[in-house]
Amino acid sequence: MNACTDGVNRMNRRRRIGTEHEKFGFDAETKRRMDYDVVNHILTGLVDRHGWKPIMEKENIIGCTASKQSVTLEPGGQFELSGAPLETLHETRDEVKWHLETTSALALEKNHKFLGLGFDPKWAVNDVPMMPKGRYKIMRAYMPKKGTRGLDMMFRTCTIQVNLDFESEIDMIRKFRTSLALQPLATALFANSAFVDGVDTGYQSMRSDVWRDTDNDRTGTLAWVFEDDFGFEKYADYVMNVPMYFVYRNGTYVDVSGESWHDFMAGEVAQPPGGKP
């Protein structure tokens, strides 16, 4: 019994929590969304002044990393902190606090600030600058083929996400089901996106509404998670049947949007060079 308890305690000590935090950058004077020149200034500041390592795509800096954290860019320049795996919420809070204070100070040097909302309250998709990441060109062209709100999701939304360790298939199932069941409550408690194009929509969370018609192949409530046969295999089957976006080859994103992953693994997708994976 003691050996079993010790094993559980060791496993509990190994569990970690990781959070992702997105926010909009905007010009403090014009209120327009942050463009890439300012994004470049902030990312370069993290590298040059705080010792982070740059993430490059060709000649452009598109993110940076340090101590198992990373800062990356969403399509419209939304800044995303992908936090390190940490033991407690208190550590997560300290990590986010440092990130917000540091990036806000760098942004202010260019008279820019950050805003934590779920949906851009003012600017349309065409008003938002697109970041120089090859994958986003592919997604921008493909999204409108799958739903009416995909571009809104890409360019006009932000979120906060949490990642939790699991220790077994049963533990994964319990956490997956619990998180899905709690999602409506979390949406209601933290709703903060009522305005779109400067107008009150009557919704409390327009960000949540966007996902109802983004891409039904890969989004939506996964009701089958609550079925008796749910587990690793069923989830893997689901993922493998989601149509592809791109293949990364020799530093370039190759457009295979809509293609079958099974066909790709069999070498039957014509576009990417090199035959089978």
Side-chain angles (χ1 to χ4, degrees):
M1 178 65 73
N2 288 336
C4 181
T5 302
D6 289 342
V8 171
N9 287 337
R10 285 195 300 272
M11 193 171 295
N12 287 341
R13 286 195 296 270
R14 289 198 301 267
R15 290 179 187 166
R16 295 293 184 268
I17 181 173
T19 51
E20 301 177 30
H21 184 284
E22 300 173 5
K23 56 269 173 200
F24 298 111
F26 67 96
D27 188 305
E29 182 177 351
T30 66
K31 306 301 185 289
R32 286 196 168 275
R33 290 276 294 277
M34 183 182 290
D35 62 25
Y36 179 72
D37 287 342
V38 181
V39 168
N40 186 313
H41 172 79
I42 298 171
L43 293 176
T44 302
L46 288 173
V47 172
D48 293 344
R49 303 185 211 177
H50 299 282
W52 288 50
K53 296 180 180 179
I55 302 172
M56 306 296 295
E57 185 168 319
K58 298 181 179 178
E59 71 277 7
N60 296 310
I61 184 170
I62 57 168
C64 50
T65 63
S67 303
K68 298 183 179 180
Q69 306 172 65
S70 66
V71 172
T72 55
L73 303 174
E74 293 297 299
Q78 304 96 310
F79 258 65
E80 178 177 356
L81 168 68
S82 296
L86 300 172
E87 292 187 28
T88 69
L89 285 175
H90 301 289
E91 292 177 334
T92 294
R93 182 250 180 206
D94 292 341
E95 177 187 62
V96 172
K97 182 174 183 290
W98 185 92
H99 169 76
L100 290 176
E101 290 176 349
T102 304
T103 54
S104 294
L106 291 167
L108 198 57
E109 293 174 358
K110 295 292 185 179
N111 198 33
H112 279 64
K113 297 182 179 181
F114 285 108
L115 179 68
L117 288 179
F119 200 100
D120 185 320
K122 184 174 178 63
W123 302 107
V125 169
N126 291 336
D127 296 320
V128 179
M130 188 168 75
M131 296 299 103
K133 297 177 69 171
R135 60 190 292 181
Y136 293 151
K137 293 180 181 178
I138 296 170
M139 292 174 64
R140 182 167 190 158
Y142 181 68
M143 280 285 187
K145 301 175 183 178
K146 304 304 296 182
T148 62
R149 307 302 301 277
L151 297 185
D152 282 335
M153 181 279 295
M154 288 178 63
F155 291 95
R156 300 209 285 177
T157 66
C158 284
T159 188
I160 295 175
Q161 302 169 28
V162 61
N163 304 290
L164 301 172
D165 278 344
F166 55 84
E167 62 194 43
S168 66
E169 185 171 29
I170 292 175
D171 190 37
M172 180 278 291
I173 292 169
R174 289 171 176 168
K175 287 175 177 173
F176 206 150
R177 288 174 173 171
T178 300
S179 64
L180 285 181
L182 289 175
Q183 188 58 49
L185 179 61
T187 298
L189 284 172
F190 301 105
N192 69 354
S193 51
F195 292 87
V196 175
D197 300 323
V199 177
D200 188 342
T201 63
Y203 287 80
Q204 295 301 309
S205 178
M206 182 52 68
R207 182 194 177 277
S208 178
D209 186 66
V210 160
W211 287 99
R212 298 204 301 170
D213 193 24
T214 290
D215 181 350
N216 289 333
D217 288 334
R218 68 187 72 240
T219 65
T221 301
L222 308 181
W224 44 266
V225 169
F226 296 94
E227 296 175 359
D228 292 340
D229 61 345
F230 175 64
F232 287 151
E233 183 174 355
K234 192 164 186 176
Y235 186 75
D237 287 342
Y238 162 73
V239 171
M240 289 187 292
N241 281 290
V242 173
M244 299 173 68
Y245 275 141
F246 54 80
V247 174
Y248 193 63
R249 285 282 189 273
N250 301 318
T252 300
Y253 289 94
V254 180
D255 187 352
V256 293
S257 53
E259 295 284 2
S260 160
W261 185 84
H262 294 285
D263 290 346
F264 169 68
M265 293 300 291
E268 297 173 1
V269 175
Q271 180 62 17
K276 293 184 178 182

